């Protein structure tokens, strides 16, 4: 085997992985504190924002902390303030509105903004670059680098131009080493480097398992007569049964656009359930379908969400760096918001890192980041809602919503919970049950008007991967996949993947597992939900995957 050429290396004060809200905010804050610090962000998307997908209704507390004067600017992306806020419980034919008066105040969207989070990140990137931050889009961080003492010293980007057989193609280019005094990991939910670091340093020891959801989203341009800029709608119930957690969002943005999406908690039990099909079915509800009739679907995507909250946040710090944003899991589930906490986590981490560097420190563990977050605005946001997700999981949607609401009211009024702090129990993949315990679900065929198939949807995500590169979706054992995933669970990967990546196809009289890696939109649901943890998502070449315009 030919020895690989050495990587070129570059040294910085701080290396940040991921140009999401957390990473960009950390970079901006570092340069605000000390303009002389050298800061670099490496981003696997072809451009900043290309891999960003969220609802999103944003609480401005994070941006207010980072950029207090943003409202005085001409071109900021927070242009649609929430004007109306409704939540409905659906059955198969009706939509019953839940009175806002009985909802805990923490769930109010008054004073929040409907945005494209991708465009927020693009805006933040201009701020960061104006301060001197170097941003390298199109480069995937694939490896953590350590010194002889085991402390993190940087990251390496992936090699480019590797052929499917592992050989070096004509455009082969060795990855680079980006070295720093500290490294901040802001990859988003279920990031591959964060997963490695959590395992290596046992950062999840003593925590509840992290919980996840899959969020599937479309962007539509609808009939102006049906559009109400600033309207926020959420639904619970149909098409999901009471034992399956999840719900929808409809956010009326500017320019007659509406963001519609569906979130399903990944601790569901039925292997025949398809989150994509549930989303398409949701849009056919009599109260929902008229909104989209006569409109045009213009974008599609999906992303996993961290839902564990307070109990599941791992230890944030390790020798040489820290986890920030959704790499740590700061999403507030009942509020369906996490970007404000991602921004705050970047700011808090940057404050501590800047102080450490000023003191002459490097490659050590900055305990201040871990010790401070639970008493910060992030902790104050997550602590009162800590039992909502466990209650939904334990009691189902209807009873869980009632108990969760009661618990939030008790904590708001009396600063007390009768439930204490509930555990999340098992990881999501352990909830999936054998196919023999369930009946297949007969999903309606797409009508091409409000409901669609996977492949036409993936087309709208602008996803691209080189066909002749090694598959970035690693199956540890095809034998396990056949004997368990197919035989016991009836092939759930063909359903939980929202991009049609996985197929079981009969070939030469035997079922063969086919992985259409070029379809992958990097949601990472397979890494989370495979019942045997037999699939590992890894980074493909930098610059590949979806290219979301304004999701």
């Amino acid at each position: 085997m030919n020895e690989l050429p050495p990587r070129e290396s570059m040294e910085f004060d701080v290396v940040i992985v991921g140009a999401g809200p957390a990473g960009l905010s950390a970079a901006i804050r570092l340069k605000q504190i000390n303009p002389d610090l050298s800061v670099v962000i490496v981003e696997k998307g072809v451009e900043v924002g290309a891999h960003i997908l969220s609802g999103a209704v944003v609480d401005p507390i994070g941006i207010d902390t980072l950029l207090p004067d943003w409202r005085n600017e001409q071109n900021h992306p927070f242009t649609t303030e929430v004007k109306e806020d409704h939540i409905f419980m659906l059955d198969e034919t009706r939509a019953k509105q839940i009175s806002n008066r009985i909802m805990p105040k923490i769930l109010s969207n008054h004073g929040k903004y409907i945005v494209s989070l991708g465009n927020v990140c693009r805006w933040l990137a201009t701020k960061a670059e104006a301060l001197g931050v170097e941003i390298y889009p199109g480069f995937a961080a694939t490896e953590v680098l350590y010194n002889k003492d085991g402390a993190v010293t940087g990251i390496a980007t992936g090699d480019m131009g590797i052929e499917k057989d592992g050989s070096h193609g004509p455009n082969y280019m060795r990855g680079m080493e980006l070295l720093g005094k500290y490294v901040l990991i802001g990859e988003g939910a279920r990031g591959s480097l964060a997963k490695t670091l959590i395992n290596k340093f046992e950062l999840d020891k003593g925590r509840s398992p992290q919980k996840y959801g899959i969020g599937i989203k479309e962007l539509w341009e609808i009939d102006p007569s049906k559009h109400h800029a600033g309207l926020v709608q959420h639904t619970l119930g149909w098409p999901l049964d009471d034992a399956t957690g999840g719900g929808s969002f409809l956010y009326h943005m500017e320019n007659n656009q509406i963001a519609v999406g569906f979130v399903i908690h990944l601790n569901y039990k039925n292997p025949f359930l398809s989150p994509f099909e549930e989303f398409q079915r949701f849009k056919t509800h009599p109260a929902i379908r008229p909104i989209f009739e006569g409109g045009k679907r213009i974008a599609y995507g999906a992303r996993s969400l961290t839902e564990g909250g307070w109990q599941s946040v791992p230890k944030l710090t390790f020798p040489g760096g820290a986890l920030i944003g959704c790499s740590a899991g700061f999403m507030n589930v009942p509020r369906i918001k996490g970007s404000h906490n991602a921004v705050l986590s970047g700011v808090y981490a940057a404050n501590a890192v800047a102080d450490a560097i000023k003191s002459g420190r490097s490659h050590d563990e900055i305990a201040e980041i871990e010790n401070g977050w639970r008493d910060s605005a992030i902790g104050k946001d997550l602590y009162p809602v800590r039992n909502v997700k466990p209650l939904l999981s334990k009691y189902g949607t209807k009873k869980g919503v009632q108990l969760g609401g009661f618990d939030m009211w008790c904590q708001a009024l009396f600063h007390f919970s009768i439930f204490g702090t509930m555990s999340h129990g098992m990881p999501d993949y352990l909830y999936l049950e054998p196919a023999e315990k369930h009946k297949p679900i007969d999903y309606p065929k797409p009508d091409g008007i409000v409901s669609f198939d996977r492949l036409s949807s993936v087309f709208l995500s602008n996803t691209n991967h080189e066909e002749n590169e090694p598959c970035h979706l690693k199956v540890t054992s095809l034998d396990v996949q056949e004997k368990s995933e197919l035989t016991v669970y009836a092939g759930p990967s063909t359903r939980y993947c929202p991009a049609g990546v996985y197929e079981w196809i009969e070939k030469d009289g035997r079922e063969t597992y086919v992985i259409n890696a070029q379809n992958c939109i990097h949601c990472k649901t397979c890494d989370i939900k495979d019942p045997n943890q037999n699939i590992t998502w890894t980074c493909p070449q930098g610059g590949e995957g979806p290219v979301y315009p304004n999701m």
Side-chain angles (χ1 to χ4, degrees):
M1 183 176 178
N2 294 331
E3 187 175 338
L4 292 173
R7 298 184 180 110
E8 293 185 17
S9 66
M10 300 174 67
E11 294 191 11
F12 300 86
D13 289 310
V14 184
V15 176
I16 299 172
V17 179
L24 289 163
S25 298
I28 290 169
R29 184 63 184 144
L30 284 164
K31 298 293 276 188
Q32 288 173 337
I33 296 170
N34 183 355
D36 293 330
L37 289 175
S38 57
V39 181
V40 65
I41 302 176
V42 60
E43 163 58 39
K44 66 183 175 68
V46 69
E47 64 177 19
V48 173
H51 289 180
I52 297 293
L53 183 145
S54 182
V57 172
V58 169
D59 184 334
I61 182 175
I63 298 298
D64 287 341
T65 302
L66 179 68
L67 301 166
D69 297 325
W70 67 267
R71 287 176 176 83
N72 298 324
E73 296 185 17
Q74 292 289 325
N75 298 314
H76 67 72
F78 300 90
T79 56
T80 306
E81 189 169 359
V82 175
K83 296 178 180 177
E84 293 181 74
D85 190 9
H86 304 302
I87 185 168
F88 298 88
M89 182 66 74
L90 303 186
D91 62 22
E92 196 163 351
T93 59
R94 296 172 298 174
K96 181 179 179 181
Q97 187 170 347
I98 300 173
S99 172
N100 288 342
R101 290 178 297 191
I102 67 172
M103 303 300 291
K105 189 176 180 180
I106 194 173
L107 301 186
S108 171
N109 284 306
H110 177 74
K112 313 305 185 291
Y113 293 86
I114 303 171
V115 301
S116 155
L117 194 61
N119 287 342
V120 171
C121 289
R122 292 179 177 97
W123 174 70
L124 288 174
T126 64
K127 300 286 186 186
E129 289 180 320
L131 292 170
V133 175
E134 295 184 47
I135 302 177
Y136 297 158
F139 290 90
T142 60
E143 183 182 345
V144 180
L145 304 176
Y146 306 90
N147 63 16
K148 60 182 176 59
D149 298 319
V152 173
T153 59
I155 60 92
T157 64
D159 294 355
M160 306 281 279
I162 298 177
E163 303 287 303
K164 187 168 288 188
D165 62 3
S167 65
H168 296 170
N171 298 317
Y172 175 77
M173 183 174 66
R174 189 82 163 105
M176 291 188 63
E177 293 185 354
L178 303 178
L179 307 176
K181 295 172 182 175
Y182 294 102
V183 176
L184 298 177
I185 305 295
E187 300 170 296
R190 196 70 168 198
S192 52
L193 297 192
K195 187 177 169 183
T196 298
L197 290 163
I198 290 169
N199 291 336
K200 178 178 175 64
F201 293 107
E202 298 183 319
L203 302 180
D204 56 353
K205 187 176 182 179
R207 267 63 166 183
S208 272
Q210 186 57 267
K211 308 297 286 184
Y212 296 93
I214 178 174
I216 306 176
K217 177 183 175 181
E218 295 174 349
L219 189 64
W220 283 69
E221 186 176 324
I222 63 170
D223 184 333
S225 66
K226 303 175 184 178
H227 187 263
H228 306 280
L231 173 61
V232 166
Q233 297 169 290
H234 293 104
T235 75
L236 297 166
W238 191 89
L240 302 179
D241 61 30
D242 192 59
T244 305
S248 80
F249 61 84
L250 297 98
Y251 301 153
H252 290 244
M253 308 170 75
E254 57 191 355
N255 300 324
N256 299 317
Q257 291 186 352
I258 181 170
V260 55
F262 208 80
V263 175
I264 291 183
H265 305 324
L266 286 176
N267 60 352
Y268 66 81
K269 297 178 180 179
N270 187 347
F272 293 110
L273 185 142
S274 166
F276 176 86
E277 300 290 355
E278 297 292 348
F279 174 37
Q280 300 306 315
R281 184 160 63 164
F282 156 75
K283 289 182 292 174
T284 68
H285 190 277
I288 305 300
R289 183 184 183 96
I291 299 171
F292 299 103
E293 289 180 324
K296 180 183 180 182
R297 190 175 68 143
I298 54 180
Y300 167 85
R303 191 70 176 88
S304 59
L305 318 169
T306 52
E307 295 187 338
W310 177 269
Q311 302 93 311
S312 298
V313 175
K315 182 183 178 185
L316 300 182
T317 54
F318 47 84
L323 306 176
I324 57 177
C326 280
S327 284
F330 291 126
M331 179 176 164
N332 183 315
V333 170
R335 295 184 73 194
I336 323 177
K337 292 178 179 62
S339 60
H340 63 300
N341 286 336
V343 171
L344 290 172
S345 75
V347 170
Y348 298 155
N351 290 341
V353 168
D355 284 346
I357 293 175
K358 185 177 180 181
S359 301
R361 296 162 58 185
S362 66
H363 305 139
D364 62 330
E365 186 165 338
I366 306 179
E368 297 90 332
I369 298 173
E370 167 63 19
N371 295 339
W373 79 266
R374 293 186 189 270
D375 293 324
S376 73
I378 299 173
K380 291 180 173 66
D381 185 56
L382 295 184
Y383 187 73
V385 304
R386 67 194 182 280
N387 292 324
V388 172
K389 178 71 165 74
L391 288 166
L392 288 169
S393 299
K394 186 173 183 178
Y395 294 105
T397 298
K398 291 180 181 178
K399 190 173 181 181
V401 166
Q402 293 172 352
L403 290 172
F406 171 75
D407 189 52
M408 285 186 282
W409 271 116
C410 283
Q411 293 185 81
L413 296 173
F414 310 116
H415 306 289
F416 173 76
S417 170
I418 63 172
F419 300 106
T421 298
M422 299 175 67
S423 170
H424 286 301
M426 303 184 297
D428 291 328
Y429 70 91
L430 288 177
Y431 283 84
L432 201 67
E433 294 180 342
E436 64 182 10
K437 292 188 175 183
H438 298 271
K439 294 180 180 179
I441 301 173
D442 184 19
Y443 289 110
K445 291 182 179 181
D447 60 19
I449 300 171
V450 302
S451 61
F452 304 89
D453 61 35
R454 278 181 176 83
L455 293 183
S456 66
S457 300
V458 173
F459 177 79
L460 290 178
S461 71
N462 302 306
T463 294
N464 179 65
H465 297 86
E466 289 288 339
E467 289 191 18
N468 198 37
E469 67 177 301
C471 181
H472 67 281
L473 301 159
K474 310 297 185 184
V475 177
T476 304
S477 169
L478 286 172
D479 188 54
V480 168
Q481 212 64 5
E482 181 179 354
K483 290 181 178 178
S484 179
E485 206 265 354
L486 176 62
T487 304
V488 178
Y489 296 98
S493 60
T494 65
R495 291 177 285 275
Y496 61 58
C497 174
V501 169
Y502 301 100
E503 294 181 280
W504 283 102
I505 295 176
E506 186 176 330
K507 185 177 181 181
D508 300 327
R510 180 172 179 174
E511 294 290 336
T512 302
Y513 202 46
V514 176
I515 302 175
N516 305 301
Q518 65 274 18
N519 286 4
C520 179
I521 54 177
H522 299 197
C523 73
K524 305 186 181 131
T525 305
C526 54
D527 197 292
I528 298 164
K529 191 59 178 174
D530 179 80
N532 304 293
Q533 292 295 274
N534 195 36
I535 301 175
T536 300
W537 187 95
T538 64
C539 276
Q541 291 185 153
E544 298 187 336
V547 183
Y548 297 134
N550 55 338
M551 295 282 270

